[in-house]
Amino acid sequence: MEKREQLYEGKAKKVYKTDDPGLYIVSYKDDATAFDGKKKGTIADKGVVNNTMSNILFALMEEKGVPTHFVKQLSDRETLVKAVTILPLEVIVRNVAAGHFSQRYGVDEGTPLLRPALEFSYKRDDLGDPLMNDDHALALGLATEGELAQVKKYAAKVNEAMKGFFLDKGLKLIDFKIEFGKLDDGTIVLADEISPDTCRLWDVETNEKMDKDRFRRDLGNVEETYREVLDRVRA
Ligand code: TMP
């Protein structure tokens, strides 16, 4: 598959057209940002880890009945995906209080939630990705009611499948962020990535943070941790 012009460059990935209008190539970078791009750095080989890990998880989601944009991994950093238009909503699912949830509601990090909590935020770095409810998304025309219902159903399935998958690898899935895209025919599919950038994963035994919080909070061993998570996911 020929890589054609670059369509888009995000903070962690580039997207290229191909000679097939229905297919794009995603290329994962080592660039790391936090706090809406205010903190910048590099995590060596993050692109390789995130590409490989995302594809393993996308394949698992397909098995569980959640359609995804994944077609085929082309190399360490590049993957062929279905061309989608990304819904401008970050879909966050939380099992345990952490991060912004802990700050916003005054709950200690690590407090288990009585049930998984789903939230949306508006994918707008310039506004700090503000928290948003269904009515806001509908009022702004970001998605339809049917699309939101589909997204919530898929997000719950992704959570259940990933919780079990990671627990087998000695990792607790604290929370995660996913994004969905729309194919030309309107079908909603899971897209973007699933990686230590977009999940909070804590070691089951030690509660050690095994995700991007090591970069966000300057906890050290960032590269080693990304590599360790990939090794566990592959095992
Ligand atoms: P939060 O507690 O900072 O809102 O993060 C919730 C989850 O979403 C966490 O697993 C990290 C992930 N996340 C992203 O993938 N991108 C982002 O821009 C932010 C803020 C969080």
Side-chain angles (χ1 to χ4, degrees):
M1 187 59 58
E2 277 296 306
K3 199 155 86 184
R4 295 280 171 86
E5 87 220 54
Q6 186 178 303
L7 202 68
Y8 169 83
E9 176 162 7
K11 286 175 292 184
K13 297 185 288 298
K14 295 180 188 179
V15 182
Y16 297 88
K17 287 190 177 179
T18 67
D19 38 26
D20 181 337
L23 296 172
Y24 292 158
I25 290 172
V26 179
S27 179
Y28 285 74
K29 307 190 286 185
D30 287 349
D31 299 351
T33 62
F35 314 117
D36 303 314
K38 287 187 224 36
K39 179 181 173 103
K40 289 192 172 69
T42 306
I43 301 172
D45 283 340
K46 174 168 85 77
V48 176
V49 170
N50 289 8
N51 183 37
T52 311
M53 175 164 162
S54 291
N55 293 339
I56 291 169
L57 288 162
F58 284 140
L60 175 72
M61 292 313 132
E62 294 271 355
E63 275 174 33
K64 301 282 181 185
V66 178
T68 77
H69 73 163
F70 175 62
V71 178
K72 182 178 161 211
Q73 184 158 331
L74 301 175
S75 69
D76 269 5
R77 291 175 184 276
E78 292 191 342
T79 292
L80 190 65
V81 298
K82 292 178 184 162
V84 298
T85 308
I86 295 283
L87 297 179
L89 289 174
E90 302 202 337
V91 181
I92 295 164
V93 180
R94 302 178 188 271
N95 297 305
V96 175
H100 283 109
F101 186 96
S102 288
Q103 285 175 14
R104 200 186 302 136
Y105 303 118
V107 193
D108 285 344
E109 280 209 325
T111 308
L113 302 180
L114 300 179
R115 46 170 281 176
L118 178 142
E119 69 191 45
F120 294 124
S121 64
Y122 188 17
K123 210 171 134 60
R124 281 282 299 266
D125 269 348
D126 57 332
L127 302 175
D129 294 341
L131 186 65
M132 145 177 286
N133 67 23
D134 294 36
D135 270 7
H136 299 151
L138 293 169
L140 290 169
L142 305 183
T144 65
E145 269 182 77
E147 287 165 355
L148 290 185
Q150 184 73 270
V151 158
K152 287 185 189 181
K153 209 174 84 190
Y154 286 154
K157 264 193 179 184
V158 169
N159 186 40
E160 289 312 311
M162 291 217 299
K163 263 197 292 193
F165 175 83
F166 283 121
L167 205 53
D168 265 359
K169 316 289 184 185
L171 294 165
K172 262 190 287 192
L173 180 62
I174 304 301
D175 58 31
F176 63 91
K177 183 269 300 179
I178 47 180
E179 296 182 21
F180 291 88
K182 239 185 338 184
L183 301 178
D184 247 5
D185 68 0
T187 309
I188 300 281
V189 300
L190 183 62
D192 192 52
E193 68 177 271
I194 306 176
S195 71
D197 276 13
T198 63
C199 300
R200 281 196 177 93
L201 298 164
W202 293 2
D203 183 88
V204 171
E205 302 293 328
T206 64
N207 276 338
E208 201 186 341
K209 293 176 173 42
M210 306 281 289
D211 55 61
K212 194 177 171 189
D213 275 342
R214 303 205 73 82
F215 168 79
R216 295 189 189 98
R217 303 179 187 187
D218 297 317
L219 301 177
N221 290 328
V222 184
E223 278 91 0
E224 294 82 349
T225 301
Y226 273 68
R227 176 55 62 181
E228 163 79 15
V229 170
L230 179 62
D231 287 346
R232 289 200 200 184
V233 162
R234 276 175 144 164

Coordinates of all heavy atoms in Angstrom, one line a residue, residues 43 50-51 60 81 96 99 104 139 148-149 151 160 171 183 194 214 221:
I43 N 9.4 10.1 24.5 CA 9.6 8.8 25.1 C 10.1 7.9 24.1 O 9.4 7.6 23.1 CB 8.2 8.4 25.7 CG1 7.7 9.4 26.7 CG2 8.4 7.0 26.4 CD1 6.3 9.1 27.2
N50 N 3.1 1.9 21.4 CA 1.7 2.2 21.3 C 1.1 1.6 20.0 O -0.1 1.3 20.0 CB 1.6 3.8 21.3 CG 1.8 4.3 22.7 OD1 2.3 3.6 23.6 ND2 1.6 5.6 22.8
N51 N 1.9 1.6 18.9 CA 1.4 1.0 17.7 C 1.0 -0.5 17.9 O -0.1 -0.9 17.7 CB 2.4 1.2 16.6 CG 1.9 0.6 15.2 OD1 0.8 0.8 14.9 ND2 2.9 0.1 14.5
L60 N -8.4 -7.7 19.7 CA -9.2 -8.3 20.8 C -10.7 -7.7 20.8 O -11.6 -8.4 20.9 CB -8.6 -8.0 22.1 CG -9.3 -8.4 23.4 CD1 -9.3 -10.0 23.5 CD2 -8.7 -7.8 24.6
V81 N -5.2 1.6 8.4 CA -6.5 1.6 9.1 C -7.6 2.1 8.1 O -7.3 2.6 7.0 CB -6.5 2.6 10.3 CG1 -5.5 2.2 11.3 CG2 -6.2 4.1 9.8
V96 N -11.8 3.2 38.8 CA -11.2 3.6 40.0 C -10.9 5.1 39.9 O -10.5 5.6 38.9 CB -9.9 2.8 40.3 CG1 -9.2 3.3 41.5 CG2 -10.1 1.3 40.3
G99 N -6.7 10.9 38.7 CA -6.6 12.0 37.8 C -7.6 13.1 38.0 O -7.9 13.6 39.1
R104 N -11.6 16.7 40.6 CA -12.9 17.3 40.4 C -13.9 17.0 41.5 O -14.6 17.9 42.0 CB -13.5 16.8 39.0 CG -14.6 17.7 38.4 CD -15.2 17.1 37.2 NE -14.2 16.8 36.2 CZ -14.1 15.6 35.5 NH1 -15.0 14.6 35.7 NH2 -13.2 15.4 34.6
A139 N -26.6 19.3 21.3 CA -26.9 20.7 21.0 C -25.9 21.3 20.1 O -26.2 22.1 19.3 CB -26.9 21.5 22.3
L148 N -24.5 8.4 20.0 CA -24.1 8.4 21.4 C -24.4 7.1 22.1 O -23.7 6.6 22.9 CB -24.7 9.6 22.1 CG -24.2 11.0 21.8 CD1 -24.9 12.0 22.7 CD2 -22.7 11.1 21.8
A149 N -25.6 6.6 21.7 CA -26.0 5.3 22.3 C -25.1 4.2 21.9 O -24.7 3.4 22.8 CB -27.5 5.0 21.9
V151 N -22.0 4.5 20.9 CA -20.6 4.8 21.5 C -20.6 4.3 23.0 O -19.7 3.7 23.4 CB -20.3 6.3 21.4 CG1 -19.3 6.7 22.5 CG2 -19.9 6.7 20.0
E160 N -15.2 -3.8 29.8 CA -15.3 -5.2 30.4 C -14.2 -6.1 29.8 O -13.5 -6.8 30.5 CB -16.7 -5.8 30.1 CG -17.8 -5.2 31.0 CD -17.4 -5.1 32.5 OE1 -16.9 -6.1 33.0 OE2 -17.5 -4.0 33.0
L171 N -2.2 -6.3 35.6 CA -2.5 -4.8 35.5 C -3.9 -4.5 35.8 O -4.8 -5.2 35.3 CB -2.1 -4.3 34.2 CG -0.6 -4.4 33.8 CD1 -0.4 -4.1 32.3 CD2 0.2 -3.4 34.6
L183 N -17.2 5.7 9.5 CA -16.9 5.3 8.1 C -17.8 6.1 7.2 O -18.8 6.7 7.6 CB -17.2 3.8 7.9 CG -16.4 2.8 8.8 CD1 -16.8 1.4 8.4 CD2 -14.9 3.0 8.5
I194 N -5.1 2.7 21.7 CA -5.3 2.2 23.1 C -3.9 1.8 23.6 O -3.3 0.9 23.1 CB -6.2 1.0 23.2 CG1 -7.6 1.3 22.5 CG2 -6.4 0.6 24.7 CD1 -8.5 0.0 22.5
R214 N 3.6 8.4 34.5 CA 5.0 8.5 34.9 C 5.7 9.7 34.2 O 6.6 10.3 34.7 CB 5.8 7.2 34.5 CG 5.2 5.9 35.1 CD 6.2 4.8 35.2 NE 7.2 5.2 36.2 CZ 7.0 4.9 37.5 NH1 5.9 4.4 38.0 NH2 7.9 5.3 38.4
N221 N 11.6 6.3 35.0 CA 11.5 5.0 34.3 C 10.3 5.0 33.3 O 9.6 4.0 33.2 CB 11.2 3.9 35.3 CG 12.4 3.6 36.2 OD1 13.5 3.7 35.7 ND2 12.2 3.2 37.4

